[in-house]
Amino acid sequence: MVDSPILITGGGGKTGGRVNVRLQARGLATRAVSRSANVPFDWTRPETWSSALDGVSKAYVTYQPDLAVEGAAEAIAELSALARKMGLERVVLLSGRGEPGAQAAEAALRASGVAWTIVRASWFNQNFSEGYLIDGVLAGEISLPAGAVPEPFIDADDIADVVVAALTDERHANKLYEVTGPRALTFAEATAEIAHATGRPICYRQLSPEAFAANMRQASVPEDVIALLDELFTVVLDGRNANVTDGVEQALGRPARDFSDYARATAAAGVWRA
Ligand SMILES: NC(=O)c1ccc[n+]([C@@H]2O[C@H](COP(=O)([O-])OP(=O)(O)OC[C@H]3O[C@@H](n4cnc5c(N)ncnc54)[C@H](OP(=O)(O)O)[C@@H]3O)[C@@H](O)[C@H]2O)c1
């Protein structure tokens, strides 16, 4: 008999893709879904959710574009209720630190009655290599409305390891892990580490929120994405998330990966070769 698969929403994404590879390496069946996957799943089309959940044992849930956007908590509430109704054994939710919308989504999952694990993460290292900051790295200048407030960036590989542990080990049921990297860096310091690792000059420029929004408008970035980034940089990045936590150590019994290891390995892999 084939085991029921584990559902992964955002199955090709920064963390979903890594979770999928790890589960398959353990011989576990997975169902990686998104709008373009074989089993289509779209957060904006709730009618696609039941077939994605049908017959799965557990789920790793990443919400796109971000739990900070309006309607995210309601979507997580609805998906969690469906998961409960369809008999899932566990839902593992990827959440974000210090975001009211993310914390509302966590509360909705916890209230649903389905067994849960929450992985509440700081900013990902991989935003610089697989996310919206890669263009700046390649162009030699990262310009953001972020100043002296440091962020303890976390590696997506550490998040994936915690998620896989949560999906495969009962000890993580009904636990919340607040996960960060081992060291807080400003965006200027993170940029300098990447420049050092690549051996290329990459400068950091702090912009006013207005200048940042104007630049994005010029690059035809949609208004809702501009509003989301403005909230993440000006509201959430106010120092509330600057402290380092030991969530990776708590879940896995080993320390989190340092930003400089990430920068070195990513540069060596050629991801930032211009
Ligand atoms: N980045 C950070 O620093 C950070 C920090 C803390 C928490 N978070 C949380 O992380 C979550 C994102 O996780 P992630 O970065 O692992 O994922 P991700 O890389 O953003 O996932 C990308 C995938 O999501 C799919 N997708 C996009 N829109 C979708 C939609 N409307 N419905 C279904 N799938 C959609 C896309 O595939 P298709 O095109 O095929 O649909 C895409 O391949 C967010 O909820 C955010 O709040 C992020």
Side-chain angles (χ1 to χ4, degrees), residues 14-15 34-36 41-43 63-64 67 94 124 127:
K14 292 185 284 303
T15 64
S34 69
R35 295 166 303 182
S36 62
F41 176 93
D42 188 341
W43 283 110
Y63 181 83
Q64 282 79 26
L67 287 174
L94 175 62
F124 304 169
N127 292 330

Side-chain angles (χ1 to χ4, degrees), residues 9-17 33-37 41-45 60-68 94-97 99 102 119-125 127 130 132 154 159:
T9 73
K14 292 185 284 303
T15 64
V33 300
S34 69
R35 295 166 303 182
S36 62
F41 176 93
D42 188 341
W43 283 110
T44 65
R45 293 173 55 228
Y60 172 48
V61 174
T62 67
Y63 181 83
Q64 282 79 26
D66 195 287
L67 287 174
L94 175 62
S95 181
R97 294 175 91 203
E99 291 172 16
V119 182
R120 186 192 283 168
S122 55
W123 285 64
F124 304 169
N125 295 346
N127 292 330
E130 297 169 32
Y132 56 96
I154 183 157
I159 296 175

Side-chain angles (χ1 to χ4, degrees), residues 75-146:
I76 296 298
E78 197 175 329
L79 188 86
S80 307
L82 197 57
R84 169 90 200 267
K85 195 167 128 204
M86 295 177 81
L88 268 70
E89 294 157 30
R90 179 87 58 83
V91 172
V92 178
L93 174 68
L94 175 62
S95 181
R97 294 175 91 203
E99 291 172 16
Q103 265 82 91
E106 292 176 7
L109 171 60
R110 292 169 75 149
S112 69
V114 74
W116 54 270
T117 307
I118 292 165
V119 182
R120 186 192 283 168
S122 55
W123 285 64
F124 304 169
N125 295 346
Q126 279 73 12
N127 292 330
F128 292 96
S129 46
E130 297 169 32
Y132 56 96
L133 299 177
I134 189 169
D135 291 342
V137 176
L138 295 177
E141 179 180 301
I142 296 180
S143 28
L144 295 172

Side-chain angles (χ1 to χ4, degrees), residues 135-230:
D135 291 342
V137 176
L138 295 177
E141 179 180 301
I142 296 180
S143 28
L144 295 172
V149 175
E151 172 68 21
F153 297 97
I154 183 157
D155 202 277
D157 280 318
D158 282 339
I159 296 175
D161 285 345
V162 173
V163 169
V164 168
L167 287 167
T168 55
D169 187 336
E170 274 305 306
R171 282 178 304 172
H172 303 294
N174 300 333
K175 291 217 170 114
L176 186 157
Y177 295 108
E178 185 152 348
V179 295
T180 74
R183 193 162 54 103
L185 296 94
T186 63
F187 278 81
E189 288 166 342
T191 303
E193 296 230 6
I194 293 171
H196 179 72
T198 57
R200 281 193 297 117
I202 305 167
C203 67
Y204 180 76
R205 194 152 64 99
Q206 183 180 354
L207 297 179
S208 68
E210 295 74 25
F212 179 63
N215 279 1
M216 285 196 293
R217 262 179 214 117
Q218 210 168 27
S220 307
V221 175
E223 282 302 319
D224 54 341
V225 177
I226 297 176
L228 169 64
L229 290 173
D230 181 62

